[in-house]
Amino acid sequence: MRTINQIHAAGYSPIADLITYSPLPTAKLQQVDPFIFLNHHGFQTYPPNNNGLPFGPHPHRGMETVTFILKGDIMHKDSSGHESIMEEGGIQWMTAGSGLIHAEVSSPKFKKEGGDLEILQLWLNLPAKYKMTKPNYVGLQKDQITHFELDGGKVKVQLIAGTWEDQKGSFDTLSPIFLSTIEISKGGSFSKNIPSGENIFLYIVKGALKIGNEEIPFRNLVEFNNDGDDLSVTASEDAIFILGHAKPFNEPMVAQGPFVMNTQKEIQEAYRDYQEGKFGSWEH
């Protein structure tokens, strides 16, 4: 059975009027290779006639973003021509690859009417061989994503990528990766086979979990040892968490601003290419 190495509390780092907690990276944990960054926005309630999310046009290269919309909505637009509005329960997966510009803001409806908002964005590294792949974007609403129940309905799994028993996730990925959102009622439990050579990414969004003898409250990232092939989780209160796992790339990583590459030289090239307009043009 997997054991816990360390528990990392998410640090509070608001962005404008957006409540934000960041559990990765921290001073003690740079990455859970290939999971490299997580921002937890909200929970908060926006009044009518608000400014919405503050993420205007900005570039990326060399990584992927996965955005979880737990409450509210998000309006996506990028320089590759993709546009969407994802509602509550939706997931969007963007492969920045060789480079693009994107914006993630609230819909006109949300800015006008207000409402509850809670959104998480996870950055995934890309291996060196895919750093300069063609950019791509896929957004799926809640009812388009594979979901199933365990433990008599106490465990509800939204299967984003990878496989679980005979179920297949809804997003195809460049590198083998498992990713899910799990809602679990108090007293619910499950076990999952995860090879010891894979790193586990587990972040508690809401409620509390019991793993081994540890009870862990929300807004904590659990860092595991690579010492077993099974993970066992029980809910000590109603909870929502993200569970991912993947083989580490074990490659050098240089992350600077919105770019994640293997060398400092590649970072400098990314800034130069962006300034020279090679990430595509942005039209408002």
Side-chain angles (χ1 to χ4, degrees):
M1 200 66 66
R2 286 292 186 109
T3 60
I4 293 171
N5 179 359
Q6 205 167 348
I7 297 166
H8 302 269
Y12 181 54
S13 52
I15 302 169
D17 62 352
L18 179 62
I19 292 170
T20 301
Y21 291 87
S22 299
L24 188 71
T26 67
K28 293 182 179 178
L29 186 67
Q30 185 191 23
Q31 61 172 323
V32 183
D33 187 6
F35 306 89
I36 55 177
F37 173 93
L38 181 68
N39 262 353
H40 179 182
H41 306 298
F43 175 89
Q44 68 192 96
T45 303
Y46 275 76
N49 302 313
N50 63 78
N51 294 321
L53 294 167
F55 305 116
H58 58 281
H60 285 296
R61 172 181 278 182
M63 34 71 79
E64 302 184 281
T65 64
V66 184
T67 310
F68 306 75
I69 300 92
L70 274 66
K71 294 285 184 183
D73 68 24
I74 196 165
M75 185 166 70
H76 171 96
K77 182 178 180 180
D78 66 50
S79 55
S80 293
H82 301 105
E83 290 187 43
S84 70
I85 296 177
M86 303 309 301
E87 308 285 350
E88 183 174 314
I91 302 283
Q92 51 185 22
W93 193 301
M94 187 185 79
T95 303
S98 61
L100 49 59
I101 303 166
H102 79 143
E104 290 176 317
V105 296
S106 301
S107 70
K109 180 176 183 285
F110 185 87
K111 287 196 282 189
K112 182 182 178 182
E113 297 178 4
D116 295 342
L117 182 134
E118 188 164 26
I119 289 172
L120 292 93
Q121 185 168 92
L122 172 66
W123 291 16
L124 303 172
N125 201 1
L126 281 170
K129 64 182 177 180
Y130 292 133
K131 287 284 187 194
M132 298 298 284
T133 197
K134 182 182 177 182
N136 190 41
Y137 168 86
V138 178
L140 297 178
Q141 305 290 4
K142 183 178 180 178
D143 61 3
Q144 298 174 298
I145 301 171
T146 303
H147 58 277
F148 58 93
E149 296 181 349
L150 302 168
D151 194 13
K154 291 181 180 178
V155 179
K156 297 178 180 177
V157 178
Q158 185 183 48
L159 187 54
I160 298 162
T163 58
W164 190 332
E165 296 176 352
D166 59 345
Q167 301 279 352
K168 183 180 182 300
S170 298
F171 291 83
D172 295 322
T173 60
L174 290 169
S175 300
I177 189 167
F178 174 90
L179 193 59
S180 64
T181 312
I182 299 175
E183 192 173 329
I184 183 167
S185 301
K186 182 177 180 178
S189 65
F190 70 90
S191 292
K192 186 180 189 304
N193 178 260
I194 302 173
S196 60
E198 297 192 11
N199 288 339
I200 295 176
F201 177 88
L202 192 156
Y203 176 72
I204 305 170
V205 179
K206 178 184 177 183
L209 301 179
K210 190 171 184 184
I211 300 171
N213 294 320
E214 292 256 23
E215 186 164 318
I216 309 145
F218 72 112
R219 294 202 194 112
N220 278 284
L221 176 74
V222 185
E223 180 188 1
F224 288 88
N225 296 307
N226 293 85
D227 60 352
D229 293 322
D230 288 288
L231 173 69
S232 188
V233 174
T234 301
S236 41
E237 55 185 81
D238 292 353
I240 297 172
F241 63 102
I242 296 171
L243 174 64
H245 57 83
K247 286 183 180 177
F249 298 156
N250 294 321
E251 295 178 348
M253 182 182 78
V254 181
Q256 193 170 319
F259 307 129
V260 183
M261 304 301 290
N262 298 106
T263 67
Q264 188 62 42
K265 183 184 176 186
E266 290 171 338
I267 292 286
Q268 291 166 351
E269 288 171 354
Y271 276 105
R272 186 173 64 247
D273 289 349
Y274 170 58
Q275 288 159 1
E276 292 177 358
K278 294 180 181 178
F279 284 27
S281 61
W282 181 264
E283 296 179 8
H284 293 281

